[in-house]
Amino acid sequence: APGNGQDTSLLAKPKPKTQRPPMYKVLLLNDDYTPMEFVVHILERFFGLTHAQSFDIMLTVHKKGLAVVGVFSFEVAETKVAQVMDFARRHQHPLQCTMEKE
Ligand code: TYC
């Protein structure tokens, strides 16, 4: 601005902002009925986690109420949620899995 002694026009260069797609957290929710081993199996089967990683996440959900299982693109997150919900429903467990924008 004129007169204010704060001209940055010689230093300010335009910053091209590269657009990155939003990422989505897949969350697993606790309940009182789904067997612990079933949850561990789901984490191994659909998220490619080791047995130890799966057991840790299952215990976190059991103790804290929920946990982030992983962060994925919208399409991948949607698929994981659908796979978990379908598998739980087919086995008649009330397990809930949801996604949330990061
Ligand atoms: N709370 C369940 C039980 O005591 C175990 C459990 C863990 C259920 C994680 C859901 O996402 C879950 N059998």
Side-chain angles (χ1 to χ4, degrees):
N4 68 4
Q6 298 289 303
D7 189 356
T8 60
S9 61
L10 296 176
L11 290 173
K13 52 173 181 271
K15 191 179 183 194
K17 276 268 189 322
T18 305
Q19 277 283 42
R20 275 181 306 180
M23 298 292 277
Y24 291 80
K25 296 183 281 194
V26 170
L27 306 163
L28 204 58
L29 277 55
N30 189 38
D31 65 72
D32 293 338
Y33 305 102
T34 305
M36 290 185 172
E37 322 83 67
F38 183 82
V39 177
V40 172
H41 177 75
I42 278 201
L43 293 172
E44 292 177 300
R45 180 170 177 141
F46 297 118
F47 295 90
L49 300 172
T50 67
H51 189 79
Q53 290 170 328
S54 299
F55 195 88
D56 282 354
I57 292 176
M58 180 283 294
L59 261 196
T60 299
V61 176
H62 178 69
K63 290 193 285 195
K64 312 246 179 182
L66 85 178
V68 176
V69 180
V71 180
F72 308 97
S73 68
F74 181 87
E75 270 205 311
V76 172
E78 221 186 14
T79 300
K80 305 263 185 220
V81 169
Q83 286 173 327
V84 171
M85 293 300 282
D86 186 57
F87 194 72
R89 185 192 51 76
R90 271 158 37 219
H91 289 82
Q92 302 190 32
H93 293 308
L95 182 66
Q96 295 293 309
C97 183
T98 62
M99 59 194 274
E100 175 181 292
K101 201 194 253 180
E102 241 188 347

